[in-house]
Amino acid sequence: MRTVLLVNPAAATGAAARVAGSVAQRLREGTDQLALRVATSPAETLGLAARAVADGADTVVVLGGDGAAHAAVQACAGTDTALALVPAGTGNDLANALGVPNNPLLAADEVARALREGRRRRIDLGRVSGGSWFATVLCAGFDSAVNERANALRWPGGPRRYDLAILLELARLRPRPLVVDTGDATVELDATLVAVGNTGCYGGGIPVCPDADPADGLFDVTIVGRVSRSALVRIVPTLRTGRHVEHPAVTTLRVRSLHLGGRTGWVAYADGERQARLPLTVRCEPAALAVVA
């Protein structure tokens, strides 16, 4: 068994670099060959992951956060090379969706055990037409503006960064005319945000699409319609519990594909990474990614 460990040394303000040696030692207990590669950017992560896949690696293990995981997904999608995650980032939403422990050393032990036992499964991925794959949530509107704001903040760390970004973006809240075409039906409304979930959470554990299942071949879609700032302030706390879907301004859908259009000017984010401006088409690709679980 050939395994490649990709390390993003900057993840979690250097925490990944500090544990890389210990993580590698633990992973060697589960594989015949382990190659350690260091990537200093998402582009380098993608290049190293693509090379590992081309060279026939059985598994690519990413030690880093959601950005590094997203880059590796691009290389492993649609192949027989499995992706494994050892979380060491800010959000770790994909790792959490796969049930990986947040502690990187415990996660490395779990991955090594899964490698020894040959435990892998396949999960769905989302694909942006003409663009990238994503494993967790694609969002646009207020939440993507929050993403842009959070990415620009240097303090605080973790989920609190997103909480602060939410407060800062509330002042700029403005619903926009959104058209969601699922092929079977069209939804037109003034919307505050739309989230397309392959898994349930984004932003460091916010269950925006709480019932999303990455193995059912479908997206869960959450749309927040026109709401006032005060109403959105009341909805925000329920995002942490998933009860926002009970609000009368929230529409939920379950679809295989959809086209997001309308005069919004919104930029989409997927897996926390900037994508294209709307309009765009998104499709769920069943069992597109092998994961060590």
Side-chain angles (χ1 to χ4, degrees):
M1 180 184 295
R2 291 173 292 171
T3 302
V4 175
L5 171 61
L6 301 181
V7 179
N8 173 14
T13 63
R18 291 191 291 272
V19 300
S22 298
V23 167
Q25 182 180 359
R26 284 164 164 76
L27 292 177
R28 287 190 177 96
E29 298 297 321
T31 186
D32 300 317
Q33 300 176 25
L34 180 72
L36 175 62
R37 303 286 185 265
V38 177
T40 58
S41 69
E44 194 171 359
T45 300
L46 172 56
L48 290 173
R51 180 175 299 178
V53 171
D55 290 344
D58 296 286
T59 306
V60 170
V61 183
V62 172
L63 172 59
D66 283 324
H70 176 78
V73 164
Q74 310 311 306
C76 295
T79 76
D80 291 328
T81 299
L83 177 65
L85 300 178
V86 177
T90 301
N92 304 317
D93 285 312
L94 180 55
N96 290 335
L98 298 178
V100 179
N102 281 325
N103 182 293
L105 299 184
L106 294 178
D109 287 337
E110 288 294 330
V111 170
R113 186 176 300 114
L115 289 172
R116 284 197 305 272
E117 297 173 359
R119 284 190 277 118
R120 58 163 63 190
R121 60 189 174 100
R122 300 195 75 91
I123 65 169
D124 308 334
L125 290 176
R127 187 125 198 224
V128 180
S129 180
S132 64
W133 301 89
F134 67 94
T136 57
V137 177
L138 178 142
C139 63
F142 178 75
D143 43 5
S144 61
V146 168
N147 244 319
E148 298 242 79
R149 175 78 70 163
N151 288 341
L153 294 173
R154 294 295 173 262
W155 180 92
R160 296 305 176 194
R161 178 180 299 174
Y162 291 91
D163 292 340
L164 177 58
I166 286 170
L167 293 176
L168 293 173
E169 285 300 319
L170 275 172
R172 303 177 60 186
L173 180 67
R174 180 184 171 190
R176 302 291 179 88
L178 176 70
V179 179
V180 180
D181 185 354
T182 69
D184 297 320
T186 300
V187 178
E188 299 185 44
L189 74 170
D190 287 341
T192 303
L193 67 86
V194 57
V196 181
N198 183 52
T199 61
C201 295
Y202 68 173
I206 299 172
V208 66
C209 300
D211 296 323
D213 179 353
D216 65 359
L218 297 169
F219 291 131
D220 279 29
V221 182
T222 299
I223 308 168
V224 179
R226 175 180 287 275
V227 292
S228 64
R229 289 184 181 88
S230 59
L232 190 57
V233 166
R234 290 192 295 272
I235 292 173
V236 165
T238 66
L239 281 168
R240 289 288 179 188
T241 64
R243 296 194 63 183
H244 58 284
V245 297
E246 301 170 6
H247 193 280
V250 175
T251 300
T252 59
L253 306 170
R254 186 162 286 163
V255 299
R256 176 73 183 272
S257 64
L258 71 166
H259 179 78
L260 300 174
R263 300 184 307 279
T264 65
W266 289 344
V267 176
Y269 270 69
D271 292 345
E273 301 298 312
R274 204 174 198 270
Q275 305 293 311
R277 288 190 181 274
L278 273 58
L280 53 78
T281 300
V282 189
R283 182 175 180 83
C284 181
E285 299 290 350
L289 179 69
V291 294
V292 174

